[in-house]
Amino acid sequence: MSELPPIKVSELDVDRLEGLLDKKPYRDDKSFDGLRSELARAEVLPADAMPADVVRMNSTVTFEVEESGKQFHLTLCYPHEINGRTETLSIFAPIGSALLGLSVGQKIDWTLPDAHHRHVKIIQVENS
């Protein structure tokens, strides 16, 4: 895997996500180690110091999977917020974990559970 790009995550998002990861059923589940690693390497900033073009929880992100050229326009959510909405992406999905903290123009090489690599590029970030 190539070198990981620098990421920025708000204190609020780190606190909430680490709180979720400390609870059952997530606490002992190794499938969330990618998200744990991302949180551990992030530059943590106060929410009001977060740049506008950085993906955070509840951001709507346009990103491209370079292998397919396919673009997606999804809102990064906590699992309980999805409620069957198709335009959402769980932070607990491998690609959701990969997007957190990236800014427009950044790319990340992310390994999926099937061991395939995907190269993802951030096109646009909308924060409300």
Side-chain angles (χ1 to χ4, degrees):
M1 186 150 89
S2 60
E3 187 174 319
L4 294 171
I7 60 172
K8 295 177 175 126
V9 181
S10 76
E11 292 171 338
L12 179 64
D13 287 347
V14 168
D15 288 347
R16 287 181 176 169
L17 289 166
E18 286 180 343
L20 269 176
L21 290 169
D22 283 343
K23 294 179 182 170
K24 287 189 175 209
Y26 311 112
R27 179 180 31 226
D28 300 321
D29 191 332
K30 299 291 182 209
S31 67
F32 300 112
D33 285 353
L35 177 56
R36 288 182 183 95
S37 295
E38 289 297 278
L39 294 174
R41 74 180 190 87
E43 177 184 353
V44 181
L45 300 173
D48 60 0
M50 288 290 291
D53 69 342
V54 172
V55 178
R56 57 191 96 170
M57 293 307 301
N58 299 305
S59 293
T60 300
V61 188
T62 303
F63 62 96
E64 179 178 322
V65 176
E66 294 188 327
E67 284 76 8
S68 66
K70 189 169 182 183
Q71 286 194 6
F72 298 86
H73 185 73
L74 300 169
T75 301
L76 188 61
C77 295
Y78 294 96
H80 67 275
E81 295 174 326
I82 292 177
N83 296 327
R85 295 175 16 224
T86 57
E87 71 281 1
T88 58
L89 175 63
S90 172
I91 185 63
F92 287 164
I95 196 70
S97 298
L99 295 175
L100 184 69
L102 293 175
S103 59
V104 172
Q106 281 187 305
K107 296 179 184 182
I108 192 166
D109 172 2
W110 197 252
T111 305
L112 298 176
D114 63 6
H116 288 95
H117 287 273
R118 294 293 179 267
H119 298 85
V120 177
K121 180 179 180 180
I122 306 298
I123 308 294
Q124 181 180 0
V125 177
E126 302 164 43
N127 288 300
S128 47

